[in-house]
Amino acid sequence: MKVLVIGSGGREHALVWKLRQSSRVSKIYCVPGNGGITQEAECVPADQKSVESLVAVASQFKPDLTVVGPELPLQMGVVDEFSRRGWPVFGPTKAAAQLESSKAFAKQFLQRHHIPTAHYAICTSNSEVKNGLSRFSAPVVVKADGLAAGKGVVICKTKDEATTAAGEMLSGKMVGEAGTRVVVEECLQGDEISFLVLSDGERVAALVAAQDHKRVGDGDTGPNTGGMGAYSFPSLLDEQMTNWLLQHVARPTVAGMKAEGMEYKGILYCGLMMTARGPMVLEFNCRFGDPETQPILMRMESDLVEAIEASIEGRVSDGDFRWSQDASACVVMASGGYPGTIEVGKKITGIEEADKIEGVKVFHAGTSARDGAYYTSGGRVLGVTARAADLNSAVERAYEAVDRIRFEGAHWRKDIAAKALKTSF
């Protein structure tokens, strides 16, 4: 079968890499892809932000399956358009994708369906922000309502900081149109967990959990990013907690969406805070996470195509996945200045040497390929990912691989999985 993957990041490289392992896949196209994906799929230089462009690509290559990687095409309704034409496509509709494309919608949905989440206020003006902040004690979190590539969340130590952050969002200075409405909410304390499930609109099946590192600096310092690294290992979530999350978060969400006329098919990413009051939903993503996908797929031993088809065809079951008992870790190497202003076009060396390490796969994110070499083309450049028998070994392998790679301005966190390693050993 021929598969079309939409996207250009590390997540899409990981999806292409995993889909290639299926004996049923004969050809993969990727729109628009990146430097690393060119080695594993045919990259098509079309606009992933245009439904018309994506329809034109699918009309030309006639894929048997399309997998949507990023959130923006989902928000634009690419699944609706492909489905209308009878083309098999993996992901939620535009209406269902509101769980991610509007944080206000998600918060109100959670409240309607009695799914645990932080207390919040939805604000469209500075006066509403002032009133909303009166409900909370500091620290407080300010979130842009719309899609902001992981950068629309500000954790504020004081109410003055929150007022400033909300004002910059509402004015359009911080994240453009994504901030024309903001959510102000209590700052939850605990450990974050990324809990992903596969849904067919009724049933769900859990993937293995992962933990992300969103802040740019060691020790969770500095601004939020799209993610600076992630890891996964078998005891991150035990069976009892997994079942609780299925019962109280994932299944009620899918059932609630169906009850409201927005059947949810695809991957549902539940971003959770494990608090003293119990697990709370921080956010939903309506697709695989990035960089969580990289360590999760490194542990997947079953056929991803089979699971995707189960979602599309309405036959998801607990047997859709098989997982390794190994651990995995991903370290993101970013361009100088990220998540702020960056410079691109820096030559990258050492990727081939890093890939030679046992259990290592270097996933490309912001790269381009020309004249037999790779160059930086974005903020997050590489997701250096490793799998090993235990978490400590996986982390060591990932950092050994990072040490072999060079490009001007490169920076990465030195403490991926450090907290888990302290509590696991």
Side-chain angles (χ1 to χ4, degrees):
M1 67 188 302
K2 295 184 292 185
V3 180
L4 171 64
V5 175
I6 297 171
S8 60
R11 162 186 49 224
E12 286 74 38
H13 192 182
L15 288 167
V16 167
W17 170 80
K18 188 62 186 176
L19 289 165
R20 278 192 70 200
Q21 296 172 19
S22 174
S23 60
R24 298 176 53 204
V25 173
S26 57
K27 177 75 174 181
I28 300 180
Y29 302 96
C30 190
V31 178
N34 61 41
I37 294 176
T38 61
Q39 304 302 310
E40 307 191 50
E42 181 178 334
C43 291
V44 183
D47 184 3
Q48 64 174 321
K49 299 178 181 179
S50 163
V51 173
E52 292 77 14
S53 180
L54 296 172
V55 166
V57 170
S59 298
Q60 177 182 354
F61 295 107
K62 298 178 171 56
D64 302 293
L65 170 67
T66 297
V67 179
V68 185
E71 56 271 30
L72 188 57
L74 297 173
Q75 181 194 27
M76 295 188 308
V78 69
V79 169
D80 308 66
E81 186 61 28
F82 277 40
S83 297
R84 186 180 68 79
R85 295 166 180 264
W87 299 341
V89 57
F90 181 63
T93 62
K94 179 178 182 178
Q98 287 180 93
L99 282 175
E100 176 172 11
S101 63
S102 171
K103 288 185 172 61
F105 172 87
K107 296 296 288 191
Q108 292 169 328
F109 175 89
L110 288 163
Q111 187 174 41
R112 285 196 299 273
H113 294 278
H114 310 291
I115 299 168
T117 190
H119 299 301
Y120 69 97
I122 297 170
C123 310
T124 57
S125 67
N126 290 322
S127 61
E128 289 181 0
V129 169
K130 183 178 179 180
N131 290 335
L133 286 171
S134 68
R135 307 181 196 177
F136 307 108
S137 57
V140 66
V141 182
V142 179
K143 298 179 177 180
D145 176 55
L147 299 176
K151 301 168 191 172
V153 178
V154 182
I155 300 171
C156 306
K157 294 179 181 178
T158 67
K159 290 188 178 183
D160 285 345
E161 284 184 28
T163 300
T164 300
E168 289 182 354
M169 287 184 187
L170 290 168
S171 70
K173 291 180 182 178
M174 187 179 294
V175 288
E177 292 184 4
T180 54
R181 182 165 57 167
V182 301
V183 176
V184 177
E185 65 180 40
E186 64 173 322
C187 185
L188 298 175
Q189 302 298 320
D191 289 328
E192 286 192 46
I193 293 286
S194 301
F195 180 67
L196 284 67
V197 299
L198 178 75
S199 171
D200 64 5
E202 267 187 55
R203 291 159 292 273
V204 299
L207 284 71
V208 292
Q211 197 148 28
D212 184 19
H213 295 262
K214 289 187 170 63
R215 298 289 196 96
V216 71
D218 291 351
D220 292 328
T221 57
N224 269 359
T225 70
M228 292 299 292
Y231 59 94
S232 176
F233 63 102
S235 59
L236 185 55
L237 272 188
D238 61 27
E239 185 177 357
Q240 182 178 359
M241 180 53 73
T242 297
N243 289 334
W244 192 96
L245 293 172
L246 286 169
Q247 186 70 22
H248 296 279
V249 177
R251 290 190 183 114
T253 299
V254 171
M257 291 297 284
K258 184 174 184 180
E260 295 189 15
M262 297 173 282
E263 185 178 61
Y264 191 98
K265 289 189 172 188
I267 291 290
L268 178 66
Y269 169 127
C270 308
L272 306 167
M273 184 70 83
M274 312 302 279
T275 77
R277 286 148 52 191
M280 301 269 189
V281 176
L282 292 173
E283 64 175 358
F284 288 120
N285 291 334
C286 294
R287 33 76 192 179
F288 281 102
D290 191 349
E292 294 95 332
T293 301
Q294 291 84 309
I296 286 174
L297 293 187
M298 285 285 274
R299 292 185 57 204
M300 184 184 291
E301 295 191 331
S302 47
D303 190 325
L304 180 57
V305 171
E306 299 286 347
I308 287 173
E309 287 184 334
S311 169
I312 294 172
E313 296 169 9
R315 50 180 177 82
V316 164
S317 71
D318 290 336
D320 288 330
F321 298 111
R322 294 191 313 278
W323 302 100
S324 166
Q325 290 301 298
D326 285 354
S328 53
C330 171
V331 179
V332 169
M333 299 184 72
S335 292
Y338 178 79
T341 304
I342 62 167
E343 292 184 9
V344 299
K346 308 299 184 183
K347 187 173 183 179
I348 309 167
T349 61
I351 292 175
E352 296 79 5
E353 289 73 17
D355 268 328
K356 291 176 183 176
I357 299 171
E358 181 184 358
V360 167
K361 173 66 180 178
V362 179
F363 294 111
H364 291 235
T367 71
S368 59
R370 64 178 186 270
D371 302 325
Y374 296 116
Y375 296 85
T376 64
S377 63
R380 292 187 295 169
V381 178
L382 301 169
V384 182
T385 310
R387 172 176 153 177
D390 57 74
L391 183 59
N392 187 61
S393 299
V395 170
E396 286 182 350
R397 283 182 180 178
Y399 279 114
E400 181 185 351
V402 166
D403 286 341
R404 299 189 182 188
I405 300 171
R406 297 282 186 275
F407 58 90
E408 184 184 332
H411 67 97
W412 57 91
R413 282 187 57 160
K414 315 299 190 296
D415 63 345
I416 300 301
K419 189 185 295 185
L421 289 171
K422 286 179 182 176
T423 58
S424 299
F425 298 96

